[in-house]
Amino acid sequence: MSRDSRLVWHARDRAAGEPPRVIVIGAGIGGLSTGCYAQMSGAETRIFERHVLPGGGCTAWSRQDYIFDYCIEWLIGTGRGNDASRVWRELGALDGKTMTNFEMFNTVTDEHGRSVTFYNDPDRLERHLLELSPADARPIRAFCRDLRRFTAINLYPFLTPSRLQTLREKLVTLRTILPALLLFRRAAGTRMERFCERFQDPLLRRAFPFIFFQDHEVFPLLPYLFNMAGAYHDNCGFPQGGSLGLARSVEERYTGLGGRVDYRARVERILVENDRAVGVELRGGERHYADHIVSACDGATTLHGLLEGRYTSPRVEQLFTGMEDRPELLYPGVVSAFVGLKGELDPDSPHSTTYLLSDRDSAALPGVRQKSLVVQMRSRYSDGFAPQGKSVIHCTYFSDYASWKTLRRTDRKAYWARKQEVADFVRGFLERQYPGMSENIEVVDVASPVTTERYTGVRGGSILGWKSFTPVDGVLDDLINKDRMSLAGLEGLSLAGQWFSGGGLIRAASSGRFVTQYLCRDLGLEFRAWESGGTDPWHPGKLGELPQLEQRRVR
């Protein structure tokens, strides 16, 4: 008899000799990661997920045989020889998959048709930028010089929280950081917007903040240089299968380790006895018990819903009371318009372009925040996103969540009309950029920030959550390393996922590793992890059956 069949999750206490039980709330990347590492370390785990799919915001859906891949634009850790890659390979996320690597991050085109391409090769980038604007030689050479220096750095500290690092691990990190300490400080201390003031060319001044498709507004130079250098070494690629494919691979790793995921299982309450979390209650009243609970779902839902506001901590209170409503600290929602069309995409066109919009176009695009529209040739990222002989384009922009939410709540017909405006704009805009394309468009599927919230459970449709390089970073670091990813006054509960570790998939995945290292100490287990080593080739059939996003279509 297997251990899983012997366990009785309805029992308040486990029988002698049985392994510790851990319940995980949410099958996003943070929850699945927690389950994998806990299983590897000898615990018996069970994940409860309200949706029918794993992945949370790392997801996809279908429409007319097209697959609309939602989350990943690039993934840190697709290369080899670094800690980020090790995390993904321990989780089986890249098993049997090819990686798509691009020579540039993005092309930015202004309303007059001038373009700049951000190549990852610093030599090629420098030549290209100097051709565009010889007068800007000084800032161009400074940026490319720093990019060359970053290509020698391979630091991805996602294995162990600093509180638990050994002396040897800390020394290895110091050996990497110290030679480049001044470079790190200067790159982290120079805001991109301030750096752009050095350019005379108006296109370069406007385009540099859009290297990562949309302007991240608070970013210094550091993440641009760091990730472009990673992409230069093929460590920021796109994995075959995309977003849902990544989640499915981690799910397969988890179940292969003996874990169990219950879908359509919505946790309504975390059960607490004598200030200790002991189990969960599902919608309908069914109760399940465990030695430890890990909440890897939306942060505010955990605190105010599942725990009914009974437990908090100064740092958590700072996050979800003092910072949650500050737009400068939280990524806005995203509007996505997926376009399915007949025919193949032009192989010579950039795989990703940010178009800087004119005032007229900005006024016509509902809720656009940055006067820009990102157009990605998604079917060139991976096989299986479009039927044979057809293609998928993904158009996206930052938008305001509140206006979409209010409209959907108060006037559903107007809400659908607004989505139709987005679809009509995208159709017309693509026709202007690629004459004749509109005749081949078969479907335009629009997802608002409210759609994202409803489909993924991500509050406010903010797929990246907290903004990096803001005061939030210090709070999250203390939550991880001082509070041990737990709440004051409540034993037996840990917190994982992007709201408690920072945005980005690698951070969500590492949160599962971190939280398992802490709970292993509480449960008397030895933390263990090893690479999956799976070699079964990936194929689109592994995505499983995909739901359609909403019943009513945008024309």
Side-chain angles (χ1 to χ4, degrees):
M1 182 181 294
S2 69
R3 288 192 305 170
D4 184 65
S5 60
R6 289 204 323 265
L7 286 170
V8 181
W9 290 88
H10 294 293
R12 174 63 184 80
D13 300 308
R14 59 184 164 99
E18 289 183 341
R21 292 177 291 178
V22 177
I23 286 175
V24 180
I25 304 170
I29 296 300
L32 289 170
S33 172
T34 302
C36 286
Y37 285 116
Q39 287 288 141
M40 283 188 266
S41 300
E44 196 72 46
T45 68
R46 190 169 177 181
I47 299 176
F48 292 102
E49 167 58 49
R50 72 174 194 171
H51 198 11
V52 298
L53 298 173
C58 188
T59 192
W61 59 89
S62 66
R63 183 79 76 208
Q64 296 183 22
D65 297 325
Y66 291 99
I67 294 174
F68 297 148
D69 186 76
Y70 182 67
C71 175
I72 298 176
E73 293 174 323
W74 81 90
L75 184 70
I76 294 174
T78 56
R80 286 279 189 178
N82 60 78
D83 291 349
S85 173
R86 179 175 164 184
V87 170
W88 291 126
R89 295 179 194 282
E90 288 172 349
L91 297 176
L94 309 180
D95 285 357
K97 295 179 179 179
T98 59
M99 303 296 148
T100 299
N101 295 289
F102 297 102
E103 59 186 6
M104 84 272 294
F105 248 110
N106 194 28
T107 292
V108 181
T109 300
D110 69 12
E111 61 270 43
H112 307 296
R114 290 189 69 212
S115 294
V116 56
T117 298
F118 291 99
Y119 296 104
N120 299 312
D121 182 334
D123 295 335
R124 186 176 183 185
L125 176 64
E126 184 173 310
R127 290 193 301 270
H128 173 61
L129 295 178
L130 288 173
E131 288 174 0
L132 284 173
S133 181
D136 286 312
R138 188 170 182 177
I140 288 170
R141 289 198 171 106
F143 185 86
C144 295
R145 181 174 60 247
D146 286 346
L147 180 55
R148 289 186 190 94
R149 294 185 65 188
F150 268 92
T151 60
I153 299 170
N154 194 19
L155 178 65
Y156 296 89
F158 296 118
L159 291 183
T160 308
S162 59
R163 176 184 180 131
L164 298 181
Q165 286 179 357
T166 64
L167 178 60
R168 181 179 180 278
E169 288 173 322
K170 291 179 180 179
L171 289 174
V172 168
T173 301
L174 280 174
R175 189 163 61 242
T176 303
I177 290 177
L178 284 177
L181 186 59
L182 292 178
L183 175 64
F184 272 107
R185 284 181 175 175
R186 179 163 49 79
T190 305
R191 288 278 291 268
M192 174 57 86
E193 61 185 27
R194 180 62 59 87
F195 177 76
C196 288
E197 293 174 358
R198 304 178 190 177
F199 290 107
Q200 298 180 38
D201 186 283
L203 173 61
L204 296 188
R205 194 181 307 124
R206 295 171 64 196
F208 259 77
F210 291 89
I211 292 174
F212 296 157
F213 316 121
Q214 285 146 327
D215 183 357
H216 289 258
E217 297 174 340
V218 296
F219 271 14
L221 292 180
L222 178 62
Y224 296 98
L225 295 164
F226 187 83
N227 287 319
M228 290 178 77
Y232 175 72
H233 291 298
D234 293 342
N235 196 47
C236 293
F238 188 90
Q240 187 182 18
S243 307
L244 183 57
L246 187 89
R248 285 294 194 196
S249 291
V250 181
E251 175 197 44
E252 183 177 358
R253 170 68 161 156
Y254 172 63
T255 57
L257 289 165
R260 170 179 171 179
V261 185
D262 290 59
Y263 291 107
R264 298 184 186 274
R266 186 179 187 123
V267 174
E268 291 285 335
R269 189 159 64 100
I270 294 173
L271 303 175
V272 178
E273 296 178 2
N274 300 319
D275 294 326
R276 183 175 188 86
V278 297
V280 298
E281 181 176 295
L282 306 183
R283 175 174 288 183
E286 186 176 340
R287 294 187 172 191
H288 300 270
Y289 295 92
D291 299 270
H292 202 96
I293 311 298
V294 178
S295 184
C297 62
D298 175 73
T301 298
T302 299
L303 299 170
H304 307 309
L306 306 184
L307 289 171
E308 301 172 330
R310 295 168 56 194
Y311 296 93
T312 185
S313 72
R315 272 176 275 277
V316 167
E317 194 70 16
Q318 189 177 354
L319 285 173
F320 293 97
T321 301
M323 294 180 167
E324 190 179 27
D325 295 326
R326 293 174 59 185
E328 72 273 20
L329 303 179
L330 195 67
Y331 276 107
V334 173
V335 172
S336 288
F338 287 95
V339 180
L341 67 155
K342 296 178 290 185
E344 302 288 348
L345 299 171
D346 181 359
D348 295 326
S349 62
H351 74 281
S352 176
T353 302
T354 297
Y355 291 93
L356 304 178
L357 302 178
S358 66
D359 290 341
R360 181 178 179 179
D361 279 338
S362 297
L365 185 57
V368 65
R369 284 174 53 110
Q370 296 184 342
K371 293 188 175 182
S372 63
L373 179 70
V374 183
V375 177
Q376 296 180 335
M377 308 303 183
R378 294 297 285 189
S379 48
R380 286 175 48 193
Y381 285 62
S382 179
D383 61 303
F385 287 167
Q388 187 74 26
K390 298 184 180 182
S391 304
V392 171
I393 295 177
H394 185 197
C395 301
T396 185
Y397 61 93
F398 283 149
S399 187
D400 175 59
Y401 163 80
S403 62
W404 288 95
K405 181 70 172 180
T406 299
L407 197 61
R408 190 179 189 279
R409 185 176 61 246
T410 60
D411 190 340
R412 192 69 59 88
K413 185 176 180 179
Y415 171 78
W416 280 101
R418 197 181 198 205
K419 293 180 76 171
Q420 185 64 55
E421 289 178 33
V422 175
D424 292 342
F425 178 91
V426 165
R427 185 185 295 269
F429 187 83
L430 291 177
E431 175 63 24
R432 279 158 39 202
Q433 305 305 319
Y434 305 94
M437 178 176 285
S438 62
E439 298 177 2
N440 295 318
I441 292 177
E442 293 188 321
V443 59
V444 181
D445 197 84
V446 176
S448 76
V450 181
T451 316
T452 303
E453 183 178 60
R454 293 177 59 246
Y455 190 66
T456 70
V458 175
R459 184 171 298 269
S462 177
I463 194 169
L464 284 172
W466 304 114
K467 289 182 179 178
S468 300
F469 304 97
T470 69
V472 173
D473 286 345
V475 179
L476 292 175
D477 186 67
D478 286 345
L479 180 63
I480 293 170
N481 292 296
K482 292 182 179 180
D483 295 351
R484 302 171 73 246
M485 305 176 80
S486 62
L487 294 174
L490 181 61
E491 299 294 325
L493 177 78
S494 297
L495 307 166
Q498 73 170 16
W499 293 106
F500 302 106
S501 64
L505 290 175
I506 186 59
R507 289 185 181 274
S510 66
S511 76
R513 203 179 199 276
F514 289 0
V515 84
T516 303
Q517 291 174 72
Y518 284 128
L519 72 84
C520 279
R521 293 195 166 199
D522 293 341
L523 298 177
L525 298 172
E526 177 187 359
F527 177 79
R528 293 180 294 170
W530 60 89
E531 290 192 10
S532 167
T535 58
D536 183 25
W538 171 264
H539 56 85
K542 288 194 172 189
L543 292 176
E545 184 177 352
L546 276 68
Q548 293 197 4
L549 201 57
E550 300 200 47
Q551 293 300 313
R552 178 174 175 175
R553 297 178 185 169
V554 175
R555 189 174 63 250

